[in-house]
Amino acid sequence: MNKLTAAQIAEITGGELEGDPQVIIRGANSIEKASGNEIAFLEKPQDSEILKKSGAGCALVPVGLKGKIKDFKGTRIYVDNPKWAFVLALRKMESETKASNPPAGGTGIH
């Protein structure tokens, strides 16, 4: 996977960013296992306590939690559908990787 900034992810997902827009995201993981250079998502607002323990550099969270998350140190992106936003971010990261690493042997017809 290629890297994206939190600002780029917010633009891709149509979300509202809160935190460091320049944090670099190089991968993805679950909210429980994510590290500082990974993105994760929180699907259910009632599970917001999980964020306190998360090491994710960036989290996609429901819009309804805006202003209610105090103990998460990473960047937050508020979106209507965190799971779908996660998919969009991963697709972009994957497409950037493919563009920068074309298949070996070229793409011509033989």
Side-chain angles (χ1 to χ4, degrees):
M1 283 192 183
N2 209 355
K3 63 182 179 178
L4 293 174
T5 64
Q8 290 171 308
I9 295 169
E11 184 177 332
I12 292 161
T13 62
E16 184 178 342
L17 189 140
E18 182 177 279
D20 181 1
Q22 298 305 314
V23 67
I24 302 290
I25 302 301
R26 298 179 187 276
N29 213 326
S30 70
I31 198 77
E32 298 90 355
K33 295 180 181 178
S35 65
N37 65 348
E38 293 179 313
I39 190 169
F41 73 95
L42 181 71
E43 189 170 17
K44 299 176 185 174
Q46 61 267 31
D47 293 338
S48 63
E49 290 294 312
I50 295 170
L51 280 175
K52 290 180 181 181
K53 299 175 187 172
S54 179
C58 184
L60 297 158
V61 295
V63 172
L65 290 178
K66 186 177 177 193
K68 298 177 184 176
I69 298 172
K70 304 294 182 205
D71 297 326
F72 175 62
K73 294 177 179 36
T75 296
R76 293 154 304 286
I77 300 175
Y78 298 101
V79 293
D80 290 327
N81 185 332
K83 187 185 280 186
W84 179 243
F86 189 71
V87 169
L88 293 174
L90 293 180
R91 282 182 179 172
K92 181 65 174 176
M93 291 173 82
E94 183 66 22
S95 70
E96 294 289 323
T97 300
K98 287 180 180 177
S100 63
N101 298 314
T107 57
I109 298 173
H110 299 281

